[in-house]
Amino acid sequence: MNFDTLTWQWIILTAFGVGFIFIAPNSRSVGAFFSAVNPQGRRPGLFLLTTSLVISWIFAKSITNAADLGRAFGLVGGVAYAAYYLSFAVAGVVIYRMRTRGGFKSLHDFLQTRFGRSAVVVFSLLIGFRLFNEVWSNTMVIGSYFGERGSPGYFAAILVFTGLTLAYTLRGGLRSSLLTDAIQMVFFGVLLFVLLGIILQDERHTVGDYLASGSWEISAGLNLLFVALLQVFSYPFHDSVMTDRGFISDPKTTLRSFLLAAGVGIFCLTAFSWVGIYAQFSGAKGGSAAVEVGKMLGTVTMLAMNFIMITSAASTLDSAFSSFSKLVVLDLGRTQKATVQRGRLAMVGLTVLGTLPVLAGPEILSATTVSGTMVMGLAPVFLLWWTRADAWSFHLAVGVGIAVGVVLAVGAWPKGWIWFPGKYGDLLSANLLGSALCFTFYLLPMARKYGK
């Protein structure tokens, strides 16, 4: 029986989802569902935690963006996007110190203790917005492999993929997410190696050509690298997919896994950007660089690309579901008894809300860059966690960051305040000025208090 590429893609998608429904454990206890504790009471080890961190952050939208930036700017584009994975190192060190020196059990515990309930609510809204973005931005990538945006195949793939991922996550919560992440990371690593092998077989382009691609100039993608280097000090703290994993193992194991994940993530994203560089060499234009390369190189490559996207999107999506359920049931639901059933209902709610934006067709890259700008005010809150700041410091810093992000998002950033050339000149300018203002307004109430 001969199947065309699209039929094979549907077979892979369905088999992947159904297979994980059977593999995922059925967590009945609160500890297993929300903290990934195994039946013997043991917490995740280094391998399980590291693989989960890496693959849950190698989103479908991330590798799509890495490939597209590689096509647009060469190697500098891939390195610029991969630099976001330094977030693991920043978050790992900060969380380690918060746990060992501050004795805090979660970021919400820290915020409640230092800044009060209002800070917890604001922070939770930022996290909720982030998780909401994760749903539509990743499922849209999957849909693009099954048809043009807005086509029946596009929407059908999104609904099937989202439904199957939700089904296996409902069974096990965070424990299910971590165990399937380990399998997905193995799949991703093997397929990435195969994909790069196929691309490098093209004798027209050597490894040296890939390494020399692009121009390390501020207007040719280097500005996005500087944006990433600014945002890594705030970006990780609004991503509960990452930070939730910072409190489920012992502090030393957690720190090692975060530092290791930073290196592995940077390597993987930079390597995948070579797909985009190959698209640039080949003159492929229009649509996603990864999709276009898959079409150029035939059925095997297209299926490998499709499988990579499915594994990366599923790992992020199941993690988003698990983090949202913890946010609703444990972090915000302190007045009610935590139950697995309430966690599952929260997952269903996020699925419905997060799928609605698919109808509007927003830009995938905006889910990273805009939300990253809006949360820049979290940098002083967590980097200076040891200071005795009050609620005013928190709200002023976070409020300034949100204001700058909104102004940028609606296209109202003043042209006179754009100090750098190139496509991301306004983004870099906003993040540079915004970061300085956030630290200033965070420290201002303390300066006034101690100045009296």
Side-chain angles (χ1 to χ4, degrees):
M1 183 180 296
N2 294 321
F3 294 136
D4 59 17
T5 302
L6 185 59
T7 302
W8 276 114
Q9 289 178 192
W10 275 108
I11 291 173
I12 291 173
L13 174 62
T14 306
F16 180 90
V18 173
F20 276 114
I21 291 175
F22 286 98
I23 292 172
N26 186 15
S27 298
R28 292 184 173 86
S29 70
V30 170
F33 195 83
F34 294 108
S35 300
V37 177
N38 71 9
Q40 290 73 43
R42 291 195 298 270
R43 297 184 176 276
L46 181 65
F47 173 78
L48 198 61
L49 190 56
T50 302
T51 54
S52 182
L53 282 167
V54 174
I55 195 63
S56 63
W57 244 54
I58 300 183
F59 334 116
K61 71 177 175 62
S62 289
I63 52 182
T64 296
N65 289 338
D68 288 344
L69 290 168
R71 177 172 62 180
F73 302 111
L75 184 64
V76 63
V79 171
Y81 201 76
Y84 274 101
Y85 289 74
L86 290 172
S87 295
F88 284 115
V90 173
V93 171
V94 171
I95 290 174
Y96 177 79
R97 292 183 179 275
M98 290 177 69
R99 292 180 66 183
T100 56
R101 296 187 180 184
F104 297 108
K105 298 179 180 179
S106 69
L107 297 189
H108 282 79
D109 178 31
F110 160 70
L111 293 171
Q112 179 69 47
T113 303
R114 290 289 171 83
F115 306 111
R117 186 66 176 175
S118 61
V120 171
V121 173
V122 171
F123 181 66
S124 298
L125 289 173
L126 293 174
I127 287 178
F129 181 67
R130 161 75 180 190
L131 296 174
F132 165 78
N133 278 343
E134 291 300 345
V135 178
W136 62 261
S137 62
N138 281 281
T139 57
M140 281 176 59
V141 174
I142 299 301
S144 68
Y145 280 79
F146 291 81
E148 295 296 325
R149 181 176 293 186
S151 67
Y154 172 83
F155 287 120
I158 288 175
L159 292 175
V160 171
F161 170 74
T162 306
L164 290 173
T165 305
L166 174 64
Y168 79 73
T169 313
L170 286 172
R171 284 178 54 82
L174 185 58
R175 177 159 171 75
S176 174
S177 178
L178 261 67
L179 290 175
T180 54
D181 283 351
I183 300 172
Q184 290 157 353
M185 185 64 206
V186 172
F187 281 147
F188 177 85
V190 171
L191 291 169
L192 177 60
F193 178 79
V194 170
L195 185 60
L196 291 178
I198 293 172
I199 290 173
L200 293 175
Q201 283 181 352
D202 189 334
E203 297 179 353
R204 294 176 297 174
H205 312 293
T206 65
V207 171
D209 293 331
Y210 285 89
L211 295 175
S213 63
S215 179
W216 293 82
E217 299 176 1
I218 196 71
S219 61
L222 193 58
N223 42 19
L224 185 59
L225 173 60
F226 290 136
V227 170
L229 294 177
L230 284 171
Q231 290 191 355
V232 295
F233 294 105
S234 56
Y235 192 88
F237 300 109
H238 88 302
D239 183 3
S240 55
V241 168
M242 176 193 295
T243 57
D244 283 350
R245 286 158 171 76
F247 294 88
I248 60 176
S249 296
D250 68 87
K252 288 186 177 180
T253 298
T254 300
L255 179 59
R256 288 197 296 268
S257 67
F258 270 68
L259 295 177
L260 185 58
V264 175
I266 289 172
F267 171 80
C268 289
L269 263 293
T270 303
F272 199 86
S273 71
W274 286 31
V275 173
I277 298 172
Y278 181 83
Q280 181 190 84
F281 290 159
S282 304
K285 301 183 182 298
S288 163
V291 173
E292 295 304 313
V293 169
K295 291 178 180 177
M296 273 192 296
L297 297 179
T299 300
V300 174
T301 305
M302 188 65 177
L303 293 177
M305 200 84 70
N306 181 247
F307 206 170
I308 284 176
M309 292 299 176
I310 290 173
T311 56
S312 58
S315 65
T316 302
L317 201 57
D318 64 40
S319 296
F321 292 151
S322 299
S323 291
F324 188 75
S325 68
K326 175 182 175 292
L327 173 66
V328 171
V329 177
L330 297 186
D331 298 326
L332 293 177
R334 295 187 176 185
T335 59
Q336 295 179 295
K337 182 180 179 181
T339 65
V340 172
Q341 183 64 26
R342 290 183 60 216
R344 287 170 175 159
L345 289 174
M347 290 181 182
V348 174
L350 178 64
T351 303
V352 174
L353 291 175
T355 303
L356 292 178
V358 170
L359 301 175
E363 289 298 320
I364 295 171
L365 183 58
S366 67
T368 297
T369 56
V370 174
S371 65
T373 300
M374 292 179 68
V375 299
M376 67 175 72
L378 294 178
V381 172
F382 290 103
L383 294 183
L384 304 177
W385 68 270
W386 42 269
T387 60
R388 293 296 175 180
D390 58 21
W392 274 109
S393 289
F394 174 89
H395 289 294
L396 285 172
V398 172
V400 167
I402 292 175
V404 171
V406 169
V407 170
L408 185 65
V410 300
W413 189 258
K415 292 185 178 179
W417 291 2
I418 300 176
W419 306 309
F420 306 96
K423 183 177 180 180
Y424 300 106
D426 58 342
L427 185 64
L428 177 56
S429 300
N431 276 267
L432 192 60
L433 177 60
S435 295
L437 289 174
C438 288
F439 274 91
T440 299
F441 277 89
Y442 183 82
L443 295 171
L444 188 60
M446 284 191 288
R448 292 187 61 187
K449 181 169 61 177
Y450 291 117
K452 292 181 179 179

